[in-house]
Structure formats: structure tokens, C-alpha cells
Amino acid sequence: MAAPTTSFRKKVSTKILQIPGTRPSLHNNQLLISSGVPSFDSVIGGGIAVGTAILVEEDTYGSYGKLLLKYFIAEGIVCGHSSFLATADTKPDQIVKELPSAIVDDPGAVQDAQPSSSEADDSMKIAWRYQNMSKVQAAPVSTKFGHYFDLTKVMNPEVLAKTDMRQFYLPDEEIPDRHSNSIMNPAYQKLLQDIKSHIINKNFSTSSSKQPQQQRNILRIAIHSLGSPLWGEGEVNPDSYDPSLPRFLYGLRALLRSAFASCLITVPTYIFNDTAFTRRIENMCDTVVQLESFVGSERETNPVYKDYHGLFHILKIPRLNSLTCHMPDSLDLAFKLRRKKFTIEKLHLPPELSDTASRPQEDKDVVVKPKTVGCSTGSSKLDF
Amino acid sequence: MFIDLNNILDIDEKQPPDRISISISSSQTDNGFLIHHFLSLYIRNGYNVCMVSFTQSFSHYNNVGQKLGVNITAARDNGTLIFIDGLKLINECLFASPGDSGGVEKNPFSFVSDPKPDLKNLYDHIKQTITSFSSHSTVPTLLLMDDLGILTDLGVPVLAVGDLMMYLRNFMTSAQTLRSGCLVSVVQADKDAADEEHELLLTRLAHNSDMMLHCKSLNSGYCKDVHGELLVTWLDPKQNYPFTSRAKRMQFKIMDKTVSFFAAGMSSAVL
């Protein structure tokens, strides 16, 4: 009965996680999700890695920071991801209502889908074998990576009703009073506990036993204006160092590392007087970007910036599982907001100084090779 | 392990230094490659390594190790590497409710949630870990602490962290103990932010080390092909007055599997 054993084995490709709206990074093979703004994804190296936190330092009036948060959630809804939205001032309901609607690249494809399905019922005469082929061709358009959103339209309420979203609105939560020996600000502690229990209950943890029929999904956590006084920051003795926010972010980082979740946090860092404190918060997050809007500044009228609405600073790009990180060509970036597009562009090109310079290397070409052709004396091109 | 770096630091590739305390600091740039260098250097030579990490999980070091040709998982499995996952352990403390202290008691990082932190537990834990190595081997031990700045960020006073490092240095490098060791500690101190506590901690570490490695970003700003500057300072071990020290300055570019070093301004991108 013993079958001849052979070392030959059919190559079974290792099962890569197939989660809609994700793709592996070309750089370090991390699973990435889109931020909802394709040009944002490209400047930070392809997208937001699953298991990391991205910090957006808000512009002075917070409007663009909030917009990025909306894009982040809207992208998740279009891709079918779960989300967790935490706010302290605007109600999460309000933010959800205002989510922009995705622009479908090819509106024709959606309309064509209906008639073709009815025609396909006709039995085929010639290429009859094709009858058994499945009718669905490609994955649905909506699961691709990164979308553009139309800010003039809001997202379809039916789609919103179907999505899995947990909302956390600080004034509605029961927050215990702060004890002198509590680990951190009770508002943060409650939020951290809620995120943890949500990750465990909904099986987003990497260690949770996965039922075979259950599809892995991504949890997108969005926290709006964390660190503002509404969250209770700076309430107790403003003179001494309050490690609540760094502790919260550190706890969050540890949670995310073992979960199929990514987190986008907007923080109004301009209200912190101490740059050292801002730097500590940045150290606790993986990716850090800063928005600097021109609104109210003299740059608004400066002709150099007439096409743009603000500057986009990349402060930190994570080094995940590798020595290097994504190195953008230039850090002089600016953003502009159009009706259907939020784009981040290079403000100007950097000086051409690189190993792979496109300029010709004159030095090498100048070397004159000794001519071996006998007739030539080398003095003239037409010398015989 | 980067051979160029060994040459710069005067380290014998086959015989990594022992009885030495090295501090790594960085300002507005990344010092991760130095940590991976020391980790792979000691593991490759079959030395014992005790690593305390506050910033990354084990898989990060393991994946980078694979690229550098060192199997860190194997080292952990055969007992030459003990990895203390500070990120995970501190997180357990942050989630512990005040009522139950049963699980947290054994946690060496339980001081994090304490208003008056006492780091003796952590010291004892590390000491115990390192003693467990020396019982079955006599090769030197590396103790690597990845980013002590995290401790101060979480609210542990600088004095306490400084004291811990002084005790650890005594333990690792003193002549009385039979084992010999090397202590590498990391702290991030950004020049522009003027974080007093981090600078204080760095000064404390400077007094406590024999060699200092400092990475900083370029004064001229961001460049795609030159990632920063490495400043190496050897401090006089006898601390004779006036203090004499020797220093070297190199620029570097980090690549996927290696790091290239060159004299300042000698990058192939600008020549």
C-alpha cells in the first residue's frame, strides 16, 4: 500500500490574507490600508500599515484635520471595514452623516451589470462550454485600494446603516472621577478599555481563534481632537507633567500591534505650549504628519501658494520590519482641496542630487580612447 | 552586523567588546540600525543577549535580523537570547484595574502605574535573567535596553531611570562579578524640542558610559541619500582630569540590508 514517496511537492502558495481594501507593501510586505486620499498614501509609502497608529497634527482651525478623519472612515465604509469613531465635541452621528460619497471610476460598469445578467441566460449554441463559467468577472469595483470622494454629496444612508461602526461620544459615556492614584486621565482610560474590549469581542485580535467561515476584517479606529481640553487634558495641576496622553498612546500602540486594526488620531498640537510634550506624543505614534493651513496667515495671499490651501509636513515615517523606511523625494509638500479631490503635491522639486541622477556624467565620457584605426590621426573626423 | 561600523568603532568582529557601557542617542533621526548592529554582532558570535525593548515587538527585530543574516528566533529558542517585551508587559500594567493586583505583582514593570515608581523589581528581574545565563556558560553577555526615553515619557522620574542604569552598569561591567558584559542603552533626545528630562537622562548616561554613539540629522535638512551623521566619542575609562576623549564623525546612508558610512560631504550623491 505504501505509495512511492517523492520529494516533489506541489507548490502551495502561502495563503496571503485576502481582506478587501488592503494590499501588501512593496517595501516591507506589511499589510496596508488606504487613508482615503490616494496622494496621501503615496507620500507615506503606499498606505497606513495595519497595526500602526497615524497621528495627524491638526491645522489651526482643525477643518482639514477633520476632513482627513472623514476620508479615513469613508474609505473604510466603501471597503467594508469596521470602524470605531471616538469624539469629544462633534457628535459621531454628525460626522457620519457628513461623510462624503465615493466617486465610482467607471459609472458605465455599474449600469452594464444588470442587462448582461439577463442576456446571459440564453443558452449558447457555439461556445457552449463557456455557459458554465461564472458570470461574475472581477471583484466589485468598490473593494479596490484608495478612492476619491465627492464632497458635494453625502454617503448613501442605506450603505451607512449596513456598516459595522462603534461610536464613542465622550459626553454620553460614564466617566468616573479622577483619583489621585489613577494611571491616566479617566476619559482616556475609558476609551482605551473600550477599544480593547471591542478588539477582543469582535475578533480583531491576531491571537483570537478564527472561525473558518469568518472572514478577517480590518478595524479602523478614528479619534478626533485627542488631547484637547474636552478630553480633560491639562485639568489637574498644569504645572506638573501629566503622562496620561503618552500612556494612552503607548497602550494603544501595544493593542494595535496585536490586532487587525489601524488608528488615525488627530491631535490639536498647536494648543500645547511645550514642544517637548508634542515630541513625546509623536514618539509614541508610528506615522506623524502635520497640516499647516494658510487660513488666517499672511501666506494666504502670497502668490507662491496661490494654488494651495496649506502645507503638508511629514514628520515621521515608521521603520517596520526593516532598517529603512520609505524615503520621499521631497518633504516640501502642499495640499489643496477641490470639490472631488484632496491632493497632496510637491511644492517644488528638490535639487537634483542623487545616486541615480538623471544628469549626464560628463567626466566619464570625456576620457578619450586611443584610436586603433590605422588611417586615423585623430585630428579630424574626415581624416583618411 | 555592519562591517564598516565595526571598523569605525574599533570593534573586533570575532570578539565583541565586553566590560563596556555604550550609550546610543539620537536627535531627529533614527538610531535603529545601531541596535540591530549590536544585537546581530553578539548573537552571531554565540554570546548571550538580554534585550529589554520598550518600542517594538519581537517580530520586528526578528524580521530585520533575517535581512542581516542572523536567526534571532533560533537564538531565543536555544536560550542565548532572552527578550523582555516591555511593550506588552507595560500594557498589562496599564490595563490592570486597581482592585486586582495579583497578576501585576509579578510584572517587573508594575512601577509604571505607581505614583512613586520603584525600579528595583525591574533591576532584580534583569539581574536574575542575566544570572540565569551565566550558570551554564561563561561567554560575555550583552544587555540591550531599547529606548529608556519611553520610561520617562510614561512618567517615571529621570532620577529613577538614571539610578537603574548605574546599578546595571555596575552589575554588568564591574570586575568583582565573574561574568563580563556589555551594556547598551538607547535614548532619543531631540535637540530642537529641548526636552529637559531626556537631556538630563542623556547626561546621566554619558557619565555612565565608556563609548557614546550619537546620531543626528543633517544641519542642512532632509536628504534622500544622506540620512544622518554619526558621532562616536570614546570617554577616558579612568576619568583622569582633564578628561580626554577621542571622537569620530561620519555620515551614513541606511540601505535595505546594510549601512554605508562616509566622511562628511563625501556621499556619492554629491560627488
Side-chain angles (χ1 to χ4, degrees), chain B residues 13 51-52 69 93 100 145 161 170 173 179 204 207 263 271:
Chain B
E13 197 181 305
M51 173 147 198
V52 187
C93 300
D100 65 350
M145 311 273 288
V161 182
N170 257 337
T173 61
R179 73 200 68 79
R204 251 331 263 277
H207 283 286
L271 289 181

Side-chain angles (χ1 to χ4, degrees), chain B residues 36-227:
Chain B
H36 296 299
H37 171 78
F38 283 105
L39 188 60
S40 53
L41 177 71
Y42 280 77
I43 288 183
R44 182 170 287 184
N45 281 290
Y47 287 16
N48 292 321
V49 180
C50 172
M51 173 147 198
V52 187
S53 168
F54 300 106
T55 48
Q56 297 285 1
S57 54
F58 178 75
S59 66
H60 170 79
Y61 298 102
N62 187 34
N63 285 332
V64 179
Q66 269 176 2
K67 283 190 182 176
L68 302 180
V70 178
N71 194 339
I72 293 177
T73 311
R76 188 178 63 165
D77 291 345
N78 66 27
T80 50
L81 167 74
I82 293 181
F83 186 84
I84 300 176
D85 192 345
L87 186 62
K88 197 172 149 200
L89 291 169
I90 291 179
N91 200 33
E92 281 171 14
C93 300
L94 291 181
F95 279 108
S97 51
D100 65 350
S101 53
V104 185
E105 284 292 301
K106 289 180 206 120
N107 193 323
F109 295 96
S110 54
F111 58 83
V112 169
S113 51
D114 217 320
K116 291 225 184 305
D118 179 13
L119 275 65
K120 194 169 177 304
N121 275 349
L122 180 59
Y123 172 68
D124 287 341
H125 186 78
I126 293 172
K127 197 171 157 182
Q128 200 186 342
T129 307
I130 289 171
T131 325
S132 74
F133 282 130
S134 54
S135 60
H136 60 81
S137 71
T138 50
V139 293
T141 303
L142 167 75
L143 172 62
L144 192 54
M145 311 273 288
D146 189 2
D147 215 339
L148 295 164
I150 294 274
L151 284 180
T152 54
D153 291 356
L154 294 175
V156 181
V158 178
L159 280 178
V161 182
D163 288 349
L164 170 75
M165 294 316 290
M166 207 168 81
Y167 274 102
L168 283 175
R169 189 206 177 180
N170 257 337
F171 174 65
M172 292 301 291
T173 61
S174 72
Q176 280 98 18
T177 46
L178 288 171
R179 73 200 68 79
S180 57
C182 168
L183 171 68
V184 176
S185 50
V186 183
V187 69
Q188 178 101 20
D190 289 343
K191 271 269 149 45
D192 63 330
D195 192 324
E196 277 179 25
E197 290 198 327
H198 282 202
E199 277 169 22
L200 198 63
L201 181 60
L202 189 56
T203 318
R204 251 331 263 277
L205 287 179
H207 283 286
N208 211 359
S209 40
D210 306 307
M211 174 159 62
M212 288 178 68
L213 306 176
H214 182 72
C215 296
K216 64 187 194 94
S217 59
L218 296 181
N219 290 335
S220 49
Y222 174 82
C223 176
K224 199 173 168 10
D225 290 299
V226 185
H227 296 165

Side-chain angles (χ1 to χ4, degrees), chain A residues 55 57 241 246 268-283 288 290 315, chain B residues 28 153 188-199:
Chain A
L55 175 69
E57 299 190 8
Y241 174 60
T269 45
Y270 57 87
I271 63 172
F272 301 143
N273 289 323
D274 191 3
T275 44
F277 185 66
T278 311
R279 199 53 60 91
R280 288 179 173 201
I281 292 168
E282 288 167 1
N283 278 342
V288 183
Q290 187 183 24
L315 302 182
Chain B
Q28 293 163 277
D153 291 356
Q188 178 101 20
D190 289 343
K191 271 269 149 45
D192 63 330
D195 192 324
E196 277 179 25
E197 290 198 327
H198 282 202
E199 277 169 22

Side-chain angles (χ1 to χ4, degrees), chain A residues 172-188:
Chain A
D172 288 352
E173 303 286 334
E174 275 182 32
I175 306 294
D177 287 335
R178 185 174 180 135
H179 298 291
S180 56
N181 61 349
S182 57
I183 297 171
M184 61 178 107
N185 177 342
Y188 296 153

Side-chain angles (χ1 to χ4, degrees), chain A residues 8-297:
Chain A
F8 177 78
R9 203 162 276 169
K10 189 183 173 191
K11 189 184 176 191
V12 184
S13 59
T14 45
K15 183 85 177 144
I16 304 164
L17 282 170
Q18 294 280 343
I19 304 174
T22 63
R23 70 176 176 203
S25 160
L26 296 173
H27 195 68
N28 50 15
N29 221 18
Q30 282 275 328
L31 196 63
L32 299 178
I33 60 171
S34 169
S35 62
V37 180
S39 55
F40 184 13
D41 292 340
S42 75
V43 294
I44 57 168
I48 302 168
V50 172
T52 64
I54 178 165
L55 175 69
V56 176
E57 299 190 8
E58 288 177 12
D59 46 307
T60 318
Y61 297 100
S63 48
Y64 295 102
K66 199 170 176 182
L67 193 66
L68 280 183
L69 188 91
K70 284 182 190 166
Y71 279 128
F72 180 74
I73 302 224
E75 170 74 23
I77 289 174
V78 173
C79 296
H81 296 163
S82 301
S83 31
F84 185 109
L85 175 59
T87 61
D89 55 351
T90 328
K91 282 201 165 187
D93 269 341
Q94 189 60 34
I95 291 184
V96 171
K97 266 186 217 156
E98 289 168 2
L99 287 180
S101 139
I103 299 169
V104 182
D105 284 351
D106 186 8
V110 180
Q111 278 138 28
D112 287 349
Q114 262 75 31
S116 67
S117 62
S118 61
E119 281 165 24
D121 290 340
D122 301 349
S123 54
M124 293 184 188
K125 294 277 157 35
I126 298 167
W128 52 274
R129 276 178 189 273
Y130 283 98
Q131 221 168 299
N132 299 330
M133 296 281 281
S134 65
K135 306 231 161 39
V136 182
Q137 289 294 315
V141 186
S142 57
T143 55
K144 82 174 195 10
F145 189 91
H147 294 80
Y148 290 105
F149 294 90
D150 187 348
L151 290 172
T152 56
K153 293 183 196 141
V154 294
M155 201 171 264
N156 190 347
E158 287 173 20
V159 179
L160 288 176
K162 269 188 260 172
T163 54
D164 170 35
M165 182 182 287
R166 164 89 166 78
Q167 299 182 351
F168 180 100
Y169 182 51
L170 187 66
D172 288 352
E173 303 286 334
E174 275 182 32
I175 306 294
D177 287 335
R178 185 174 180 135
H179 298 291
S180 56
N181 61 349
S182 57
I183 297 171
M184 61 178 107
N185 177 342
Y188 296 153
Q189 195 158 18
K190 173 84 173 110
L191 178 59
L192 198 57
Q193 291 281 7
D194 274 24
I195 291 174
K196 188 183 182 187
S197 51
H198 191 75
I199 286 175
I200 291 170
N201 295 340
K202 298 274 176 130
N203 274 330
F204 290 111
S205 171
T206 45
S207 56
S208 71
S209 59
K210 183 191 160 197
Q211 283 86 25
Q213 73 274 15
Q214 196 185 2
Q215 179 74 33
R216 275 272 184 224
N217 206 347
I218 302 288
L219 176 67
R220 283 173 183 249
I221 304 167
I223 305 172
H224 179 243
S225 271
L226 191 74
S228 76
L230 288 166
W231 284 97
E233 183 71 29
E235 243 170 30
V236 279
N237 43 348
D239 298 327
S240 66
Y241 174 60
D242 178 14
S244 290
L245 192 53
R247 281 180 180 176
F248 170 81
L249 292 172
Y250 193 71
L252 184 68
R253 179 192 184 124
L255 275 183
L256 292 172
R257 284 286 190 271
S258 60
F260 282 95
S262 285
C263 185
L264 183 135
I265 308 162
T266 69
V267 174
T269 45
Y270 57 87
I271 63 172
F272 301 143
N273 289 323
D274 191 3
T275 44
F277 185 66
T278 311
R279 199 53 60 91
R280 288 179 173 201
I281 292 168
E282 288 167 1
N283 278 342
M284 293 290 174
C285 295
D286 298 290
T287 314
V288 183
V289 298
Q290 187 183 24
L291 299 172
E292 185 188 341
S293 144
F294 295 146
V295 176
S297 79

Side-chain angles (χ1 to χ4, degrees), chain A residues 37 63-64 67-68 71 149-151 307-310 334-345:
Chain A
V37 180
S63 48
Y64 295 102
L67 193 66
L68 280 183
Y71 279 128
F149 294 90
D150 187 348
L151 290 172
D307 291 336
Y308 299 102
H309 290 101
F335 64 85
K336 63 180 172 190
L337 180 65
R338 297 277 175 267
R339 215 156 47 87
K340 295 186 175 181
K341 238 183 203 182
F342 180 93
T343 44
I344 295 160
E345 291 176 0

